[in-house]
Amino acid sequence: MNEQININSCPVPQTEYDRILMAHGGGGKFSKNLLEQYIYPLFDNEILSQKHDSAIFEISNTKFAFTTDSFVVNPIYFPGGDIGKLAVYGTVNDLSVAGAKPVFISLSFIIEEGFPIEDFKKILLSIKQATEIADVKIITGDTKVVEKGSCDKIFINTTGIGIIENQIEINPSKCKAGDKIILSGSIGEHGISILVSRNNFELETNIESDTAPLNSLVEKIINVSKNIHMMRDPTRGGLSSCLNEIAQSAKVGMLIYEDKIRIREDVKSICELLGLDPLYVANEGKLVVIVDSKDADLVLNTMRQHPLGKDSQIIGELIEDQFNLVYMKTIIGTTRIVDMISGEQLPRIC
């Protein structure tokens, strides 16, 4: 029996909305659309168009990296960290993956009326400890208090400045087919730790957030190779969105291998239980490095000598592909497309 398919009856993904959705802050397709439709066209300039985690610019022969980020994580305390530590390390990492040495950070609070002073002190002490570990200084900031119900407990904004002291150029345009993709460790721990610590999930695990400053790890690999072409920390949207962003910016394809990507068994189990794909779950202390194949083993071995990179693995390579897609060779031998996250698996994870 021949049956015609009425293409008009096929569902078409909706891309236009008249209101902001939670997914617009998820780091995936919705976030990308928001930037490309409304923000980039209005404020377009040569620095913004870099679309890096940090803006890179030069003043008096000194190259700087400049970045800003806001943290609205829920809950504010979670296994392995809290909103204060996350705010410092998040900005430190955005500077680090641009090849910069983080130097100064601003610290701004929006606090809900009635927030306990004891909690505020606890967060400040965590921030102080994080700045000492990351070796950065807070040099300015701001505090605003809003009426009860106008925000959820406390939000933090951090802005960072770093100095690029070496001649290395971290830029998607440097990426080419044959480059290797290195991942510094297992994925999904931050997102799952946030998930299980929320009141509506009664799951007992030992999973802690991986939140950590990546600057010392980045410094070590930059010192051994000038052929690092791109770096990213796979935060919102997880590893899949991170790789897709690089592939589209660099105009290359990627082939990754499922059996090379480390996922803890307990993380994997919870993802299976809740129908989540760990490739899309957020991380806050992992590093993705795109490096020329001739330096890949050198960079890999250097990463493995650092506590934050001891589980590093080459998970794939860049390939020529006119569609700039990310493909994954699965453990059963098939190949599938790994797309950027669409929608929001887990909101307010950072």
Side-chain angles (χ1 to χ4, degrees):
M1 175 180 173
N2 294 325
E3 185 175 339
Q4 279 194 325
I5 298 175
N6 180 3
I7 60 172
N8 293 323
S9 66
C10 294
V12 177
Q14 186 175 353
T15 58
E16 297 287 344
Y17 294 88
D18 60 0
R19 296 174 189 273
I20 295 293
L21 308 179
M22 291 298 290
H24 285 116
K29 284 184 178 177
F30 281 67
S31 297
K32 184 171 180 287
N33 290 342
L34 196 70
L35 291 169
E36 292 186 346
Q37 289 181 23
Y38 301 106
I39 296 178
Y40 288 144
L42 197 60
F43 303 106
D44 184 41
N45 60 63
E46 69 281 5
I47 298 177
L48 185 65
S49 64
Q50 296 168 352
K51 300 180 182 178
H52 212 312
D53 278 349
S54 294
I56 309 296
F57 57 92
E58 195 169 312
I59 299 176
S60 301
N61 297 321
T62 300
K63 195 181 287 187
F64 294 93
F66 179 52
T67 189
T68 190
D69 208 344
S70 297
F71 296 84
V72 297
V73 65
N74 175 36
I76 57 175
Y77 306 112
F78 47 85
D82 57 67
I83 190 171
K85 185 184 289 187
L86 199 63
V88 173
Y89 292 161
T91 291
V92 164
N93 292 347
D94 282 349
L95 294 170
S96 300
V97 297
K101 178 183 179 182
V103 182
F104 298 127
I105 287 183
S106 74
L107 176 65
S108 296
F109 298 100
I110 297 177
I111 309 172
E112 183 182 22
E113 177 188 23
F115 187 70
I117 287 290
E118 278 303 311
D119 282 330
F120 188 52
K121 287 166 58 180
K122 187 176 176 181
I123 290 169
L124 288 176
L125 289 174
S126 179
I127 290 172
K128 177 178 171 55
Q129 183 184 39
T131 57
E132 290 170 352
I133 292 173
D135 193 22
V136 291
K137 291 181 180 178
I138 293 172
I139 58 168
T140 188
D142 183 45
T143 303
K144 295 287 191 301
V145 178
V146 297
E147 296 87 350
K148 193 169 184 59
S150 296
C151 81
D152 187 4
K153 295 184 272 299
I154 185 168
F155 297 157
I156 300 178
N157 174 270
T158 45
T159 297
I161 296 175
I163 299 174
I164 300 176
E165 297 175 323
N166 47 67
Q167 298 302 313
I168 193 169
E169 184 181 356
I170 308 295
N171 193 304
S173 65
K174 305 284 288 184
C175 297
K176 64 182 189 308
D179 287 355
K180 300 297 183 184
I181 307 166
I182 303 177
L183 175 63
S184 65
S186 55
I187 59 171
E189 283 126 42
H190 176 71
I192 296 301
S193 77
I194 296 290
L195 182 68
V196 298
S197 60
R198 288 183 179 169
N199 293 333
N200 52 340
F201 288 101
E202 297 179 356
L203 299 171
E204 292 185 5
T205 75
N206 295 318
I207 302 169
E208 292 189 346
S209 168
D210 61 345
T211 181
L214 295 168
N215 46 337
S216 62
L217 174 60
V218 168
E219 184 179 359
K220 285 192 176 299
I221 62 174
I222 285 178
N223 284 339
V224 300
S225 174
K226 303 302 179 190
N227 293 305
I228 295 168
H229 296 156
M230 191 65 193
M231 293 187 286
R232 276 284 169 89
D233 51 337
T235 55
R236 292 177 307 164
L239 179 64
S240 62
S241 294
C242 168
L243 295 179
N244 273 281
E245 285 176 6
I246 296 174
Q248 291 169 21
S249 298
K251 302 188 187 311
V252 297
M254 291 185 180
L255 178 63
I256 58 175
Y257 300 93
E258 185 175 17
D259 63 341
K260 300 295 184 185
I261 299 171
R262 289 174 58 92
I263 306 169
R264 285 173 44 154
E265 285 302 319
D266 46 7
V267 170
K268 196 181 296 183
S269 296
I270 292 175
C271 285
E272 289 174 356
L273 180 68
L274 300 175
L276 301 175
D277 187 336
L279 290 176
Y280 297 93
V281 178
N283 314 274
E284 288 292 341
K286 295 300 184 299
L287 178 66
V288 171
V289 181
I290 310 295
V291 59
D292 192 301
S293 60
K294 66 185 179 185
D295 281 2
D297 288 339
L298 175 62
V299 171
L300 176 67
N301 291 332
T302 303
M303 290 175 70
R304 285 177 172 172
Q305 293 169 22
H306 191 283
L308 294 178
K310 59 184 174 58
D311 294 324
S312 295
Q313 186 69 263
I314 294 176
I315 63 166
E317 57 265 331
L318 272 53
I319 59 174
E320 292 184 1
D321 177 59
Q322 60 176 318
F323 304 108
N324 310 143
L325 294 175
V326 178
Y327 304 89
M328 185 166 76
K329 183 72 77 176
T330 69
I331 54 177
I332 60 173
T334 60
T335 302
R336 72 176 177 91
I337 294 173
V338 177
D339 202 358
M340 182 176 283
I341 190 171
S342 181
E344 180 68 289
Q345 275 202 142
L346 181 61
R348 294 185 59 187
I349 44 79
C350 63

